[in-house]
Amino acid sequence: PANCIEVMTGAVVPALCDCVIPIEEIQLTEQSAELLPDVSPRKSQYIHHRGSDYGKSDLLLEPGTRIGGPEMAVLASAGQATVGLAREPNFFIVAIGDELADPGTELGPSQIRRSNDFAIDTLLKETGFNTTRRSKLPDDPGVLRKTIAELLEQADILILTGGVSMGKYDYIPEIMNSLGVEILLHKIAQKPGKPMWVGRRRDTVVFALPGNPVSSLVCARRYVVPAIQDAMGFRPQQEIARLGRPLHQAVPLTWFVPVILEPHESGMLATPRLTNTSGDFHTLAGTTGFVELAHEQTEFPAGHLAPFWRW
C-alpha cells in the first residue's frame, strides 16, 4: 500500500503488480503519488493480459483474404515474415469489330467509339486487378483465329467483347470450337447481356461478352469479377438493396437495373436509372451499381429487396 512503480504505456507490468493507475488519476510530487478524490482502482485495470486478444490456435486470417493495411499488421504482429499468396491472373481484353474507332480519331460514317475494353479494364483495376492488357481486332476470321490462338497461350483470363451473338460477322463461337476451347455456357436468360459465352482451354478461361456497351460492362461485373475472386478464394458478402420505386418488365428474364444507392431509414434505397438502350453508357455514369431482379416475376414493388452489385 505504501509503494508504487512508475511504468510507461506498452511496458511489461512489474512483477507482483496487478493494477495500473493512469497518470491522469493521480497527483504526483517528487516523493509521492496520491490518488485523486473519487478514484477507485480495481484489480487488473489497464493491464493487457498475454493471450487475451487471441489464443494460440485461433485463426487470424481466412484463406482468400485480400491483404490491406489491417491484414498486414496482423501478419507482422503474428511474426509471419512470409505468407502464401494467390497470384493475380493475367488479363487480356480484346474489343472486336470493324466499326470501332479509337478515342481521339475521326468517326467514319458507319463507326462508333471503342469503349468496352477501356470500361472493363478500369472496372478490373478498381476491383484490385492490375495485370490487364487491351487490344482491338477486326471482324476478320483469319486474324481473329490467329490472334486468339496466341492469346490462349499467354492469358489466364481472356475477355472478348463483340462477335458472340447471331450476326453474320459474329465468328467467336465457331473460332473457339476450332481452337479446342470447351464451351461452358452460351446465352443467359437475362437482360442486358443475353449472348454471353464462356469457355475454357486448359488453364485459360474465356469470357466472350456482348458488344453492346451496357451489356458488356454488366456481364463483366456480374460474372467475370466474381468468378475471378472466387477462384482466388475471395468471397465478399452479397449486398442487398431495397427498390426506391416500383418496376415492371414485360418479358420474364433476369433483369439488371442500374441504380443510385442512397442511405434510408429502412436500409440502402436503390433508385432505378433505366438505360435507353444497351448502348447507353451515359445513363450508367453516376450510378452506384445495379440490382438483379429475378426472372420468375414481372412486377417489383417499391421496397422490393434485391441483390446489389457495386461497380
Side-chain angles (χ1 to χ4, degrees):
N3 296 280
C4 63
I5 300 174
E6 189 174 25
V7 64
M8 300 299 112
T9 300
V12 176
V13 177
L16 304 180
C17 293
D18 61 8
C19 174
V20 175
I21 304 168
I23 195 170
E24 296 88 350
E25 297 181 1
I26 60 175
Q27 179 66 47
L28 280 177
T29 67
E30 290 186 5
Q31 300 295 325
S32 67
E34 183 178 350
L35 295 179
L36 294 176
D38 300 326
V39 172
S40 301
R42 63 186 184 280
K43 186 174 182 178
S44 293
Q45 75 171 13
Y46 301 114
I47 294 177
H48 193 154
H49 290 279
R50 183 180 299 175
S52 61
D53 286 338
Y54 297 96
K56 186 175 182 180
S57 61
D58 288 342
L59 182 66
L60 299 182
L61 295 175
E62 292 280 355
T65 299
R66 185 177 292 277
I67 298 174
E71 292 76 21
M72 188 61 77
V74 170
L75 291 172
S77 64
Q80 299 298 310
T82 60
V83 64
L85 298 175
R87 179 179 65 83
E88 187 174 312
N90 293 315
F91 297 91
F92 283 82
I93 309 167
V94 182
I96 300 171
D98 293 337
E99 76 279 11
L100 301 178
D102 290 342
T105 62
E106 290 291 330
L107 274 180
S110 61
Q111 287 188 303
I112 59 173
R113 294 289 183 204
R114 168 188 171 193
S115 59
N116 290 355
D117 55 318
F118 294 100
I120 295 172
D121 180 49
T122 302
L123 175 70
L124 290 171
K125 287 177 178 175
E126 287 184 334
T127 310
F129 302 115
N130 296 300
T131 52
T132 59
R133 280 176 276 185
R134 295 181 294 99
S135 62
K136 181 182 75 171
L137 291 175
D139 289 316
D140 182 318
V143 174
L144 286 171
R145 191 183 190 285
K146 179 178 182 298
T147 306
I148 290 173
E150 295 171 354
L151 293 177
L152 286 171
E153 299 298 325
Q154 304 172 44
D156 296 310
I157 307 291
L158 177 57
I159 302 172
L160 311 175
T161 71
V164 73
S165 189
M166 300 292 290
K168 184 177 179 180
Y169 298 106
D170 291 330
Y171 301 115
I172 295 304
E174 179 185 339
I175 288 173
M176 291 300 171
N177 182 61
S178 71
L179 292 174
V181 181
E182 175 193 3
I183 180 173
L184 300 179
L185 68 87
H186 188 194
K187 298 182 181 178
I188 306 174
Q190 66 181 31
K191 64 175 185 180
K194 183 178 179 181
M196 179 175 165
W197 188 102
V198 181
R200 176 196 297 272
R201 192 178 80 169
R202 296 191 292 273
D203 294 331
T204 300
V205 177
V206 181
F207 293 93
L209 311 182
N212 281 328
V214 175
S215 304
S216 177
L217 191 60
V218 165
C219 285
R221 178 61 189 92
R222 174 60 184 87
Y223 300 109
V224 179
V225 169
I228 298 164
Q229 290 175 328
D230 187 79
M232 297 177 71
F234 179 51
R235 298 172 179 87
Q237 186 175 0
Q238 177 66 63
E239 292 188 81
I240 301 294
R242 189 181 301 272
L243 276 184
R245 64 178 174 86
L247 289 173
H248 165 79
Q249 68 163 340
V251 183
L253 296 171
T254 297
W255 189 15
F256 300 121
V257 180
V259 296
I260 298 173
L261 206 61
E262 299 171 313
H264 188 266
E265 59 184 14
S266 61
M268 298 305 289
L269 205 63
T271 302
R273 195 170 180 183
L274 301 178
T275 58
N276 183 38
T277 66
S278 291
D280 182 13
F281 253 167
H282 179 267
T283 299
L284 297 187
T287 60
T288 319
F290 54 89
V291 291
E292 180 175 335
L293 301 179
H295 70 277
E296 295 92 350
Q297 60 190 101
T298 56
E299 300 294 334
F300 303 93
H304 177 81
L305 294 174
F308 170 72
W309 301 88
R310 192 178 298 271
W311 292 125

